[in-house]
Amino acid sequence: MTLPRPRVAVLGGGPGGYEAALVAAQLGADATVVDEDGLGGACVLTDCVPSKTLIESSTTMTSLARAASLGLELANGTNPVVGVDAPALNARIKALAAAQSHDIAEHVAAEGVRIIQARGRLAGPHTIEAGDTTVTADVVLIATGAWPRALPEGVPDGERILTCRQLYDLTELPEELIVVGSGVTGAEFASAYQALGSQVTLVSSRERVLPHEDKDAAVVIEGVFRRRGMNVLSRSRAEAVHRKGDGVLVTLADGRQVAGSHCLLTVGMAPSTAGLGLAEAGIKLDSRGFVEVDRVSRTSVPEVYAAGDCTGVLMLASVAAMQGRIAMWHALGEAVQPIRLTHVASTIFTDPEIASVGVSQAAVDRGEFSARVVKLPLATNPRAKMGGFRDGFVKVFARPGTGRVLGGVIVGPRASELILPLSIAIEQSLTVDQIAHTFSVYPSLSGSVTEAARTVMEFAPDTIV
């Protein structure tokens, strides 16, 4: 007797949704994705892919600005200028995002997943209404993402007052851009637009930029921002943003006002869970509207799972995708290990980049972990010298006695690539001794990782800086 194939329905086609659907199909389930905007979701269409494409262009501008120090002339003349064609830049960004979404859709369809392009909502724990179609499933996954918050007195208009999803419709480079919010998103866009030629003012309500990140890393980035001409307003909370003629006026809590041509609001994300029938289906939401899940992505309702930004669990594409995979492995009876957030590697795509994994300096300082800490400046690395890079460092945390790698922070060019050895070390419980005895290319930026590991081995004190 042949058993019926399990039916899986996914509401939302972002990384959490489409990765879950792929796993379900590979495990023999009848999988359906209901998505309104295009596979890849906001991550591909409006957020991560577009922003990192913009940043790739801005990084090239930074490299060009460094040309003279490397003995290069960009053109004849004493003041060669490289301009920004904003319409072409934004057209490339949107075209690349659309192409990536198309590639994902083709891949998902090729694996046998049914795609329904419609706005969906739950009509019960096992039913999704998608336009004129009703999808009934044994297992449902919610992956509806999140959307940018605004200020009560700062409503985006898509022209001068913007969220990060509205930047790519601009027909000109913002002349004077005020970025409200100095978290990851704010710092990334402030860095990018300053490099592209905008005069950027970064409004930070905290003592320093990137207040939730490694303090040493944040200090480096803020120093770079200021040196490159950015106006960083610390301890300055924005209360209102209004249009003023062809520009904007940002009012701070202490009464000061900051004028600019455009304002970008980066004040957090809100879950896209309203109006989807979640509460009516018995799915528990927290006080902010995020779906509550356990470490295998289960909601409060049996056979209903959730993944991605709508859960509020580390808003990273890699985490969303893993949540979706874990949900399907668990729901369909495969062996599964609960998600381990301490093993998640993340990057802030400022210039230079910040990448981190494992335990943090703050956790060590609070006494939550006992660790030997080594921090090596990138400026001493020969490859960094060749490239003219002077800002950054490699920091490694290791357990005293065993030398097991607990975490790391890297600030430098392509830190997003350089963090991988430390991420592997944490996942596989490797020691600094094992890293130190691994060959690295000379000269290379990654050589600083093995050098840091050797330094941990060589010194006895528990903390070395």
Side-chain angles (χ1 to χ4, degrees):
M1 178 179 177
T2 303
L3 295 175
R5 296 170 65 195
R7 298 165 299 170
V8 172
V10 178
L11 181 56
Y18 78 77
E19 287 287 351
L22 286 171
V23 169
Q26 289 159 5
L27 292 177
D30 180 0
T32 300
V33 174
V34 177
D35 181 82
E36 183 177 15
D37 299 317
L39 289 202
C43 170
V44 169
L45 292 169
T46 60
D47 293 353
C48 186
V49 169
S51 67
K52 302 318 174 271
T53 306
L54 173 77
I55 289 167
E56 199 64 37
S57 295
S58 72
T59 301
T60 300
M61 287 288 281
T62 302
S63 298
L64 292 172
R66 202 170 59 247
S69 68
L70 301 179
L72 303 176
E73 289 185 4
L74 297 179
N76 293 328
T78 57
N79 294 303
V81 176
V82 177
V84 175
D85 184 339
L89 174 67
N90 290 332
R92 176 178 182 267
I93 289 169
K94 290 190 285 188
L96 193 150
Q100 180 70 8
S101 176
H102 176 74
D103 289 347
I104 293 170
E106 283 198 332
H107 179 203
V108 171
E111 292 293 328
V113 177
R114 180 169 62 142
I115 301 171
I116 299 177
Q117 186 170 3
R119 178 171 176 78
R121 68 181 306 277
L122 286 191
H126 297 281
T127 306
I128 295 177
E129 291 180 348
D132 298 329
T133 304
T134 299
V135 181
T136 303
D138 304 298
V139 177
V140 170
L141 178 90
I142 310 300
T144 50
W147 50 273
R149 292 186 184 275
L151 295 175
E153 290 191 62
V155 180
D157 60 14
E159 296 178 353
R160 297 286 173 174
I161 304 173
L162 307 158
T163 71
C164 59
R165 296 181 179 177
Q166 298 170 325
L167 288 166
Y168 313 111
D169 292 324
L170 295 179
T171 58
E172 60 183 2
L173 186 73
E175 183 177 351
E176 297 175 313
L177 178 64
I178 304 170
V179 179
V180 174
S182 63
V184 173
T185 303
E188 287 185 346
F189 279 109
S191 177
Y193 277 100
Q194 184 74 29
L196 289 171
S198 299
Q199 176 55 56
V200 175
T201 296
L202 181 59
V203 179
S204 173
S205 64
R206 308 295 285 273
E207 182 180 357
R208 57 179 171 83
V209 302
L210 298 169
H212 302 297
E213 307 303 322
D214 183 271
K215 183 177 180 180
D216 292 334
V219 168
V220 169
I221 295 302
E222 184 167 334
V224 171
F225 283 177
R226 293 182 184 276
R227 192 177 72 234
R228 291 176 179 171
M230 189 183 301
N231 182 23
V232 180
L233 301 180
S234 303
R235 297 178 179 175
S236 302
R237 183 176 297 277
E239 286 200 339
V241 185
H242 295 102
R243 290 281 296 264
K244 184 178 180 181
D246 291 333
V248 296
L249 197 64
V250 177
T251 302
L252 307 181
D254 61 7
R256 288 178 295 161
Q257 293 186 317
V258 184
S261 62
H262 298 77
C263 178
L264 172 62
L265 298 172
T266 62
V267 291
M269 302 291 287
S272 299
T273 55
L276 298 178
L278 304 186
E280 294 83 348
I283 297 169
K284 189 175 181 180
L285 308 177
D286 69 13
S287 60
R288 300 172 298 164
F290 290 100
V291 181
E292 294 189 356
V293 294
D294 64 14
R295 292 177 64 206
V296 292
S297 304
R298 288 178 298 192
T299 71
S300 56
V301 174
E303 282 78 54
V304 178
Y305 295 74
D309 289 357
C310 68
T311 69
V313 178
L314 282 186
M315 292 188 178
L316 298 171
S318 59
V319 173
M322 186 59 74
Q323 284 181 293
R325 297 185 199 109
I326 286 173
M328 291 302 103
W329 289 328
H330 185 270
L332 299 175
E334 293 292 303
V336 62
Q337 187 175 63
I339 192 166
R340 293 180 289 186
L341 298 179
T342 56
H343 289 206
V344 175
S346 62
T347 299
I348 302 169
F349 290 87
T350 48
D351 187 0
E353 296 177 355
I354 302 173
S356 59
V357 66
V359 306
S360 66
Q361 182 71 63
V364 172
D365 292 343
R366 291 192 298 265
E368 297 173 12
F369 297 90
S370 177
R372 293 168 62 185
V373 186
V374 162
K375 186 179 77 173
L376 298 182
L378 199 66
T380 61
N381 178 290
R383 186 67 181 271
K385 292 178 182 178
M386 295 170 191
F389 306 122
R390 57 175 175 158
D391 300 297
F393 58 81
V394 172
K395 182 189 290 189
V396 175
F397 304 89
R399 189 181 300 281
T402 66
R404 178 181 170 185
V405 178
L406 297 176
V409 180
I410 299 177
V411 180
R414 302 298 183 190
S416 51
E417 311 289 347
L418 296 173
I419 199 66
L420 182 61
L422 296 179
S423 187
I424 292 173
I426 290 171
E427 184 65 30
Q428 300 300 323
S429 300
L430 303 181
T431 66
V432 288
D433 182 79
Q434 289 171 306
I435 293 178
H437 286 85
T438 301
F439 283 97
S440 61
V441 172
Y442 182 89
S444 68
L445 296 180
S446 60
S448 287
V449 177
T450 53
E451 184 183 355
R454 288 193 297 273
T455 306
V456 176
M457 292 172 56
E458 292 168 3
F459 290 88
D462 283 350
T463 303
I464 310 161
V465 294

